[in-house]
Amino acid sequence: MNAPEQLAEPRLTSLSHGGGCGCKIAPGVLSEILKGTAAMPIPKELLVGIETADDAAVYQLNDEQALIATTDFFMPIVDDPLDFGRIAATNAISDVYAMGGRPILALALVGMPINVLSTQTIGRILEGGASVCRTAGIPIAGGHTIDSVEAIYGLVALGLVHPKHVKRNADAQPGDVLVLGKPVGVGVMSAALKKGELGDEGYARMIATTTRLNTPGPDLAALPGVHALTDVTGFGLAGHALEMARGARCEVQLDWATVPLLADVRRLASQGFVTGASGRNWAGYGHDIALPAAFDPVDKALLTDPQTSGGLLVACAPGEVDAVLGIFRRHGFDEAAVVGRVAAGAPGLVVR
């Protein structure tokens, strides 16, 4: 009697209703959920909390050290388990860099459908995350696992920063210049991948950008003319620029023509490869964005495109721009570009 054939495992992306940072709860819904939490008592040592939707919490330990604490996890954005683990870990650690800090350790968050995925596949996801932590020079010192309907992986990431070097998303100043560290378009590429329409070259570009650690963060934070930092993730470039505007009570002006895009994403977006999160993003914050009269729907989709492990968005004094770009270049971020400015005015985003 022949042994029964082993059933092939499903594609990882087929197990998730949304992948990567596109899984985030829509901005408007999230605001409604969190509206009552700001009344909690806040200790004086808590330098950064939830008040401006910043990238991580920061708690001052002493005159020289503050602890950065953050967590991020999501469902698969790609089918390769090793790459999924790498992307999720890179994305989680990014929030430490975005506060100007250096990571010190991580904890793994693992939810897996153990009756659907093999232990080998789950092990490869964890291996991918561990490889990124090794690159960042930190251990995975523990974590938690559950049996879940959908595959979920991410990290709790902890870091340290000097209290004077903490960079919030809310401290941009009128006259500041905006610099973006990575090109956008990851959500479009993920949508094309899920439909089987992303070629090998496109996939390689997607993995290269989503697994690149935002290591310029601490060096940028040490510059006195850098006033604000954040990273661009699930709410898209528009959403995170708008958070910066609201926090600083200023107008953020975005020069769309200068925003770097991943190669071929405009063509993919024009063919309809756009995530549902892009539309949800616009529905949540579009009322605070001024677009040119003839703004192309493809550009609007890219403006709100959810980024997974996206780039750092920096607000700095005009005289610091060359130094900011120099730091990005030294860390291998050759596509970093000036994308706009901050101006006095009502909090909002103006796209030009």
Side-chain angles (χ1 to χ4, degrees), residues 321-341:
V321 171
D322 288 344
V324 167
L325 289 172
I327 287 172
F328 274 121
R329 304 286 187 262
R330 286 198 299 275
H331 284 261
F333 290 73
D334 295 334
E335 293 180 275
V338 173
V339 297
R341 64 197 58 80

Side-chain angles (χ1 to χ4, degrees), residues 74 92 223 250 279:
F74 46 63
L223 294 176
C250 294

Side-chain angles (χ1 to χ4, degrees), residues 98-321:
M99 300 307 300
R102 300 183 186 278
I104 56 172
L105 66 85
L107 307 174
L109 301 173
V110 185
M112 294 291 157
I114 58 174
N115 292 328
V116 176
L117 296 178
S118 68
T119 56
Q120 290 80 9
T121 294
I122 297 171
R124 289 283 283 172
I125 295 170
L126 272 60
E127 180 185 345
S131 71
V132 167
C133 289
R134 285 194 296 271
T135 300
I138 63 173
I140 295 180
H144 186 63
T145 61
I146 62 169
D147 184 3
S148 172
V149 175
E150 295 182 281
I152 298 170
Y153 178 69
L155 300 175
V156 173
L158 302 178
L160 291 174
V161 63
H162 193 288
K164 292 183 179 179
H165 290 172
V166 174
K167 298 299 178 181
R168 303 194 310 155
N169 66 354
D171 292 333
Q173 301 176 13
D176 278 353
V177 175
L178 296 181
V179 180
L180 179 63
K182 288 184 184 182
V184 302
V186 172
V188 167
M189 299 183 90
S190 69
L193 176 67
K194 198 163 186 176
K195 299 270 182 76
E197 296 294 332
L198 186 67
D200 291 343
E201 290 185 6
Y203 183 77
R205 285 193 293 269
M206 178 181 171
I207 298 303
T209 191
T210 54
T211 59
R212 175 170 290 174
L213 289 162
N214 277 320
T215 53
D219 291 342
L220 293 169
L223 294 176
V226 169
H227 300 136
L229 265 178
T230 191
D231 61 349
V232 179
T233 54
F235 297 151
L237 177 57
H240 293 283
L242 187 56
E243 286 179 342
M244 187 176 283
R246 288 169 174 166
R249 300 181 183 275
C250 294
E251 178 181 281
V252 167
Q253 301 169 351
L254 195 64
D255 297 324
W256 180 246
T258 68
V259 173
L261 301 177
L262 288 163
D264 208 32
V265 297
R266 186 181 296 278
R267 179 187 67 82
L268 291 170
S270 68
Q271 293 178 350
F273 297 111
V274 177
T275 70
S278 181
R280 292 193 297 273
N281 281 343
W282 181 260
Y285 55 62
H287 55 278
D288 285 333
I289 299 178
L291 297 178
F295 202 63
D296 193 298
V298 170
D299 291 316
K300 181 179 173 183
L302 291 167
L303 180 68
T304 58
D305 186 54
Q307 302 307 289
T308 298
S309 190
L312 295 175
L313 183 62
V314 186
C316 67
E320 205 78 272
V321 171

